[in-house]
Short mmCIF file of all heavy atoms in Angstrom, two decimals:
data_model
loop_
_atom_site.label_atom_id
_atom_site.label_comp_id
_atom_site.label_asym_id
_atom_site.label_seq_id
_atom_site.Cartn_x
_atom_site.Cartn_y
_atom_site.Cartn_z
N LEU X 189 -12.75 25.37 -25.89
CA LEU X 189 -12.81 25.53 -24.41
C LEU X 189 -13.60 26.72 -24.02
O LEU X 189 -14.67 26.58 -23.45
CB LEU X 189 -11.41 25.73 -23.88
CG LEU X 189 -11.38 25.96 -22.33
CD1 LEU X 189 -11.90 24.76 -21.57
CD2 LEU X 189 -10.04 26.27 -21.87
N ARG X 192 -17.30 26.92 -24.75
CA ARG X 192 -18.13 25.78 -24.24
C ARG X 192 -18.15 25.58 -22.77
O ARG X 192 -19.05 24.90 -22.16
CB ARG X 192 -17.48 24.43 -24.84
CG ARG X 192 -17.67 24.45 -26.41
CD ARG X 192 -16.85 23.23 -26.92
NE ARG X 192 -17.29 21.87 -26.52
CZ ARG X 192 -16.51 20.88 -26.49
NH1 ARG X 192 -15.22 20.99 -26.88
NH2 ARG X 192 -17.00 19.75 -26.11
N ALA X 193 -17.15 26.15 -22.05
CA ALA X 193 -17.00 25.91 -20.63
C ALA X 193 -17.63 26.96 -19.75
O ALA X 193 -17.52 28.11 -20.07
CB ALA X 193 -15.48 25.73 -20.23
N TRP X 194 -18.13 26.57 -18.59
CA TRP X 194 -18.63 27.53 -17.61
C TRP X 194 -17.33 28.19 -17.07
O TRP X 194 -16.30 27.62 -16.94
CB TRP X 194 -19.29 26.79 -16.41
CG TRP X 194 -20.66 26.34 -16.81
CD1 TRP X 194 -21.08 25.11 -17.19
CD2 TRP X 194 -21.85 27.24 -16.82
NE1 TRP X 194 -22.47 25.08 -17.32
CE2 TRP X 194 -22.98 26.39 -17.14
CE3 TRP X 194 -22.06 28.60 -16.48
CZ2 TRP X 194 -24.20 26.85 -17.25
CZ3 TRP X 194 -23.38 29.06 -16.62
CH2 TRP X 194 -24.40 28.25 -16.99
N GLN X 195 -17.51 29.50 -16.82
CA GLN X 195 -16.25 30.24 -16.26
C GLN X 195 -16.78 31.44 -15.52
O GLN X 195 -17.89 31.95 -15.71
CB GLN X 195 -15.42 30.72 -17.50
CG GLN X 195 -16.23 31.48 -18.58
CD GLN X 195 -15.58 31.40 -19.92
OE1 GLN X 195 -14.62 32.08 -20.33
NE2 GLN X 195 -16.20 30.53 -20.79
N VAL X 196 -16.00 31.77 -14.53
CA VAL X 196 -16.28 33.02 -13.66
C VAL X 196 -16.13 34.32 -14.53
O VAL X 196 -15.11 34.65 -15.11
CB VAL X 196 -15.36 33.11 -12.47
CG1 VAL X 196 -15.59 34.35 -11.75
CG2 VAL X 196 -15.56 31.79 -11.61
N LYS X 292 -25.93 32.13 -21.20
CA LYS X 292 -26.30 31.45 -19.99
C LYS X 292 -25.48 31.95 -18.76
O LYS X 292 -24.27 32.12 -18.83
CB LYS X 292 -26.09 29.92 -20.09
CG LYS X 292 -27.12 29.34 -21.06
CD LYS X 292 -26.69 27.94 -21.46
CE LYS X 292 -26.78 26.85 -20.43
NZ LYS X 292 -26.46 25.56 -20.87
N THR X 293 -26.22 32.03 -17.65
CA THR X 293 -25.47 32.46 -16.38
C THR X 293 -25.74 31.43 -15.28
O THR X 293 -26.71 30.72 -15.32
CB THR X 293 -25.96 33.77 -15.86
OG1 THR X 293 -27.43 33.69 -15.66
CG2 THR X 293 -25.69 35.00 -16.87
N GLY X 294 -24.87 31.42 -14.42
CA GLY X 294 -25.01 30.63 -13.15
C GLY X 294 -24.40 31.37 -12.03
O GLY X 294 -23.48 32.19 -12.23
N PHE X 301 -21.15 33.12 -13.16
CA PHE X 301 -20.53 32.35 -14.16
C PHE X 301 -21.30 32.55 -15.45
O PHE X 301 -22.51 32.77 -15.42
CB PHE X 301 -20.52 30.88 -13.78
CG PHE X 301 -19.70 30.46 -12.65
CD1 PHE X 301 -20.12 30.89 -11.37
CD2 PHE X 301 -18.61 29.73 -12.76
CE1 PHE X 301 -19.33 30.41 -10.20
CE2 PHE X 301 -17.84 29.26 -11.71
CZ PHE X 301 -18.29 29.67 -10.36
N VAL X 302 -20.59 32.40 -16.53
CA VAL X 302 -21.28 32.45 -17.89
C VAL X 302 -20.93 31.11 -18.70
O VAL X 302 -19.80 30.51 -18.41
CB VAL X 302 -20.94 33.65 -18.72
CG1 VAL X 302 -21.54 34.88 -18.06
CG2 VAL X 302 -19.47 33.87 -19.00
N ASN X 303 -21.76 30.80 -19.61
CA ASN X 303 -21.36 29.77 -20.62
C ASN X 303 -21.93 30.18 -21.91
O ASN X 303 -23.14 30.45 -22.00
CB ASN X 303 -21.90 28.39 -20.14
CG ASN X 303 -21.29 27.25 -20.93
OD1 ASN X 303 -21.25 27.30 -22.12
ND2 ASN X 303 -20.90 26.23 -20.24
N SER X 308 -24.68 23.58 -23.33
CA SER X 308 -23.65 23.11 -22.26
C SER X 308 -24.41 22.34 -21.15
O SER X 308 -25.63 22.40 -21.02
CB SER X 308 -22.96 24.33 -21.55
OG SER X 308 -23.89 25.00 -20.76
N GLU X 309 -23.57 21.60 -20.34
CA GLU X 309 -24.14 21.02 -19.17
C GLU X 309 -24.77 22.03 -18.25
O GLU X 309 -24.31 23.08 -18.28
CB GLU X 309 -23.13 20.14 -18.50
CG GLU X 309 -22.05 21.01 -17.81
CD GLU X 309 -21.00 20.16 -17.02
OE1 GLU X 309 -21.41 19.08 -16.48
OE2 GLU X 309 -19.84 20.58 -16.83
N PRO X 310 -25.87 21.60 -17.46
CA PRO X 310 -26.51 22.52 -16.54
C PRO X 310 -25.38 23.02 -15.67
O PRO X 310 -24.44 22.36 -15.20
CB PRO X 310 -27.48 21.73 -15.83
CG PRO X 310 -27.65 20.60 -16.70
CD PRO X 310 -26.47 20.25 -17.40
N PHE X 311 -25.56 24.30 -15.04
CA PHE X 311 -24.65 24.94 -14.11
C PHE X 311 -24.52 24.08 -12.89
O PHE X 311 -23.33 23.81 -12.36
CB PHE X 311 -25.16 26.37 -13.83
CG PHE X 311 -24.28 27.01 -12.79
CD1 PHE X 311 -23.01 27.46 -13.10
CD2 PHE X 311 -24.71 27.30 -11.54
CE1 PHE X 311 -22.10 28.05 -12.24
CE2 PHE X 311 -23.93 27.92 -10.51
CZ PHE X 311 -22.68 28.30 -10.90
N GLU X 312 -25.65 23.50 -12.41
CA GLU X 312 -25.57 22.71 -11.13
C GLU X 312 -24.66 21.40 -11.32
O GLU X 312 -23.90 21.07 -10.36
CB GLU X 312 -26.93 22.23 -10.76
CG GLU X 312 -27.85 23.31 -10.29
CD GLU X 312 -28.28 24.32 -11.36
OE1 GLU X 312 -28.31 23.92 -12.58
OE2 GLU X 312 -28.54 25.46 -11.15
N TYR X 314 -22.13 21.33 -13.45
CA TYR X 314 -20.76 21.79 -13.52
C TYR X 314 -20.18 22.11 -12.23
O TYR X 314 -19.04 21.73 -11.87
CB TYR X 314 -20.82 23.06 -14.48
CG TYR X 314 -19.54 23.98 -14.24
CD1 TYR X 314 -18.26 23.59 -14.65
CD2 TYR X 314 -19.64 25.17 -13.42
CE1 TYR X 314 -17.19 24.46 -14.43
CE2 TYR X 314 -18.56 25.90 -13.18
CZ TYR X 314 -17.37 25.56 -13.67
OH TYR X 314 -16.26 26.38 -13.47
N PHE X 485 -12.46 24.72 -12.45
CA PHE X 485 -12.23 24.49 -13.75
C PHE X 485 -12.95 25.49 -14.68
O PHE X 485 -14.13 25.81 -14.55
CB PHE X 485 -12.55 23.09 -14.30
CG PHE X 485 -12.19 22.80 -15.68
CD1 PHE X 485 -11.01 22.28 -16.01
CD2 PHE X 485 -13.20 23.01 -16.74
CE1 PHE X 485 -10.64 21.98 -17.33
CE2 PHE X 485 -12.78 22.82 -18.01
CZ PHE X 485 -11.58 22.25 -18.35
N PRO X 486 -12.37 26.21 -15.67
CA PRO X 486 -11.02 25.96 -16.02
C PRO X 486 -9.96 26.87 -15.50
O PRO X 486 -8.77 26.54 -15.42
CB PRO X 486 -10.99 26.12 -17.63
CG PRO X 486 -12.08 27.12 -17.79
CD PRO X 486 -13.13 26.95 -16.72
N ASN X 487 -10.37 28.13 -15.12
CA ASN X 487 -9.29 29.06 -14.95
C ASN X 487 -9.39 29.97 -13.75
O ASN X 487 -8.84 31.04 -13.68
CB ASN X 487 -9.25 30.09 -16.20
CG ASN X 487 -10.53 30.84 -16.34
OD1 ASN X 487 -11.62 30.41 -16.02
ND2 ASN X 487 -10.41 32.08 -16.85
N TYR X 589 -12.00 18.62 -23.39
CA TYR X 589 -12.53 19.72 -24.16
C TYR X 589 -11.80 19.88 -25.47
O TYR X 589 -12.42 20.00 -26.54
CB TYR X 589 -12.42 20.99 -23.32
CG TYR X 589 -13.60 21.21 -22.34
CD1 TYR X 589 -13.57 20.60 -21.08
CD2 TYR X 589 -14.71 21.93 -22.67
CE1 TYR X 589 -14.56 20.74 -20.25
CE2 TYR X 589 -15.78 22.10 -21.81
CZ TYR X 589 -15.67 21.58 -20.58
OH TYR X 589 -16.73 21.65 -19.66
#
Side-chain angles (χ1 to χ4, degrees):
L189 178 66
R192 296 166 64 203
W194 285 101
Q195 55 209 279
V196 173
K292 285 164 73 172
T293 58
F301 293 71
V302 292
N303 194 314
S308 74
E309 66 175 333
F311 180 67
E312 291 67 29
Y314 158 76
F485 184 89
N487 65 326
Y589 277 82

